[in-house]
Amino acid sequence: MTEFIPSPREKREGLIRDHALELLANLDARLRRIEKALGLPQEGARAFADVMARIRREEQETRLINRKLMDAGIAHGEEV
């Protein structure tokens, strides 16, 4: 069994990606509250929510593919 050990760059990129999504979600929630309180249109907020949902769905699919590759014994970066 081959253990996947991410490189320092992969670790850094993963941390940034994970925290960036949570930061954006937090910012979106705050802006929604402000926009709602001010009675501003919500079209932009809905469009952003759709983009965030797509990003989260793609991240989930990527994790699933990576899990399947790891379960199949294919090491990260290995050509198939």
Side-chain angles (χ1 to χ4, degrees):
M1 178 172 177
T2 304
E3 181 181 354
F4 171 69
I5 301 173
S7 69
R9 180 179 177 180
E10 290 169 330
K11 288 179 184 176
R12 183 173 45 255
E13 289 174 354
L15 285 171
I16 291 170
R17 181 181 57 241
D18 291 348
H19 289 289
L21 288 178
E22 295 305 317
L23 177 64
L24 290 173
N26 188 1
L27 182 60
D28 178 50
R30 290 173 183 259
L31 287 174
R32 281 176 183 265
R33 278 184 271 179
I34 292 169
E35 290 172 346
K36 187 175 181 179
L38 295 175
L40 296 173
Q42 300 292 303
E43 292 86 20
R46 282 191 285 271
F48 184 79
D50 291 344
V51 170
M52 285 295 290
R54 189 181 80 222
I55 291 171
R56 290 185 189 280
R57 189 173 48 250
E58 289 174 355
E59 286 289 320
Q60 185 66 27
E61 291 170 1
T62 300
R63 282 191 201 100
L64 180 62
I65 290 168
N66 284 335
R67 171 55 55 198
K68 286 181 179 178
L69 288 171
M70 289 172 57
D71 290 347
I74 298 173
H76 186 72
E78 180 180 339
E79 291 188 28
V80 179

